[in-house]
Amino acid sequence: MKITCILLDDDPLVLDLLQAYATMTDVLDIKATFSDPLEAHKYLVDNEIQVLFSDVTMPHLSGLDLVRALQHPPLVVLMTAHSQYAMEAFNLDVIDFLLKPITLDRFLKAINKISNLVRLHPREAGAVQNAASDLGSFFIRTDSHFVRLHYRDVLYIEALKDFTKINTADGRTHLTLVNLKNLEEQLPKDLFVRTHRSYLINVQLIESVSNLEVRVGGHALPLGQTYRERVTERIVNRTLIRRQQQ
């Protein structure tokens, strides 16, 4: 089965080139092409497709802003002649970032990434953009790979500037180019709690809480004053066994 997609670029020559490449691959089912990002946005709101190929710099709405404006974006491949947008693009968890002029071999590499992801998890490929899937797991990008992590295995997540380091119960760590605030917003709020400006912790794996720290998986992590009341109320008070009143 082919992968459904739309193409968005205000340069008609680029649209023609992408359609020619897509025909050569025989993998993509192009549902529509757009030169206006506002029209593309309206189509994406009303129609479900698997992949969006979008230019970055366009009138009225950039490709980056278009992705941000979508509540449930599809897999996204961004295209531009300006490499300075790469960091911001990957903060949005795009699948790939193609520099113009786009060559056939580079386009094929992007198609291979998409095909592998869709085959790996065809019904939930969008989980790369939306980590809170219904299956108890989520995908992250690490270098050129997509790695599935199960909620139950994540001990805590640590902020490292624009990156986050995800620490799992088996002692492994995974570095991904998504900041902690972005990750916190996408993970299930009933499973993870912010205990410090630099730490997000798995609620189910917390071993103890004091005024200054939270212990999880044998690790003592700081409990920030700003978060103390919230953590105590949510984690301790709700399940605290209290002494019976006489």
Side-chain angles (χ1 to χ4, degrees):
M1 182 177 294
K2 291 188 177 183
I3 299 169
T4 58
C5 71
I6 65 169
L7 309 178
L8 169 61
D9 200 297
D10 60 345
D11 185 339
L13 294 179
V14 172
L15 289 178
D16 289 343
L17 179 66
L18 293 176
Q19 290 183 82
Y21 284 170
T23 301
M24 293 179 196
T25 66
D26 199 33
V27 173
L28 298 177
D29 178 11
I30 301 174
K31 293 299 185 182
T33 62
F34 298 94
S35 59
D36 185 337
L38 296 177
E39 291 182 2
H41 178 267
K42 182 179 179 181
Y43 181 92
L44 288 166
V45 169
D46 296 334
N47 299 273
E48 184 175 341
I49 57 106
Q50 292 171 288
V51 186
L52 162 66
F53 289 85
S54 175
D55 189 17
V56 172
T57 54
M58 294 175 289
H60 309 302
L61 192 70
S62 74
L64 296 167
D65 290 334
L66 171 61
V67 176
R68 294 190 190 98
L70 294 169
Q71 186 174 3
H72 300 292
L75 303 179
V76 177
V77 176
L78 289 178
M79 309 172 293
T80 183
H82 308 288
S83 60
Q84 68 265 28
Y85 293 111
M87 181 68 73
E88 191 173 358
F90 283 115
N91 277 338
L92 292 173
D93 286 339
V94 303
I95 299 305
D96 212 338
F97 186 84
L98 303 182
L99 284 175
K100 297 178 179 179
I102 301 169
T103 61
L104 177 59
D105 64 315
R106 186 62 186 85
F107 182 80
L108 291 175
K109 185 176 181 181
I111 297 304
N112 287 337
K113 288 183 182 181
I114 294 166
S115 298
N116 289 336
L117 179 59
V118 171
R119 280 198 300 269
L120 177 67
H121 201 17
R123 292 186 180 180
E124 294 293 335
V128 177
Q129 274 75 28
N130 182 8
S133 77
D134 296 330
L135 302 179
S137 64
F138 61 102
F139 281 98
I140 59 167
R141 175 195 289 274
T142 61
D143 297 324
S144 60
H145 296 82
F146 294 103
V147 177
R148 184 203 292 275
L149 297 175
H150 292 275
Y151 299 137
R152 63 176 181 271
D153 295 330
V154 177
L155 284 177
Y156 65 93
I157 303 169
E158 180 180 359
L160 298 174
K161 293 186 177 179
D162 292 328
F163 291 81
T164 53
K165 182 168 70 173
I166 301 176
N167 299 266
T168 55
D170 60 4
R172 300 173 64 186
T173 60
H174 304 271
L175 199 64
T176 186
L177 185 54
V178 181
N179 63 44
L180 190 63
K181 183 177 183 296
N182 191 326
L183 199 56
E184 179 185 11
E185 290 174 349
Q186 297 182 69
L187 290 173
K189 291 177 173 51
D190 59 330
L191 296 182
F192 293 89
V193 63
R194 190 78 168 263
T195 59
H196 185 273
R197 61 185 177 86
S198 298
Y199 291 96
L200 189 65
I201 295 180
N202 189 328
V203 170
Q204 298 297 320
L205 299 180
I206 290 176
E207 299 163 353
S208 66
V209 179
S210 70
N211 285 336
L212 299 177
E213 68 180 30
V214 178
R215 294 192 67 86
V216 56
H219 301 270
L221 304 179
L223 177 57
Q225 184 175 358
T226 305
Y227 304 92
R228 189 176 301 152
E229 182 177 349
R230 185 188 317 165
V231 170
T232 302
E233 176 60 31
R234 179 176 167 187
I235 306 304
V236 179
N237 290 350
R238 288 186 181 181
T239 56
L240 179 64
I241 303 299
R242 302 178 186 275
R243 185 173 61 181
Q244 191 172 25
Q245 297 294 325
Q246 301 295 329

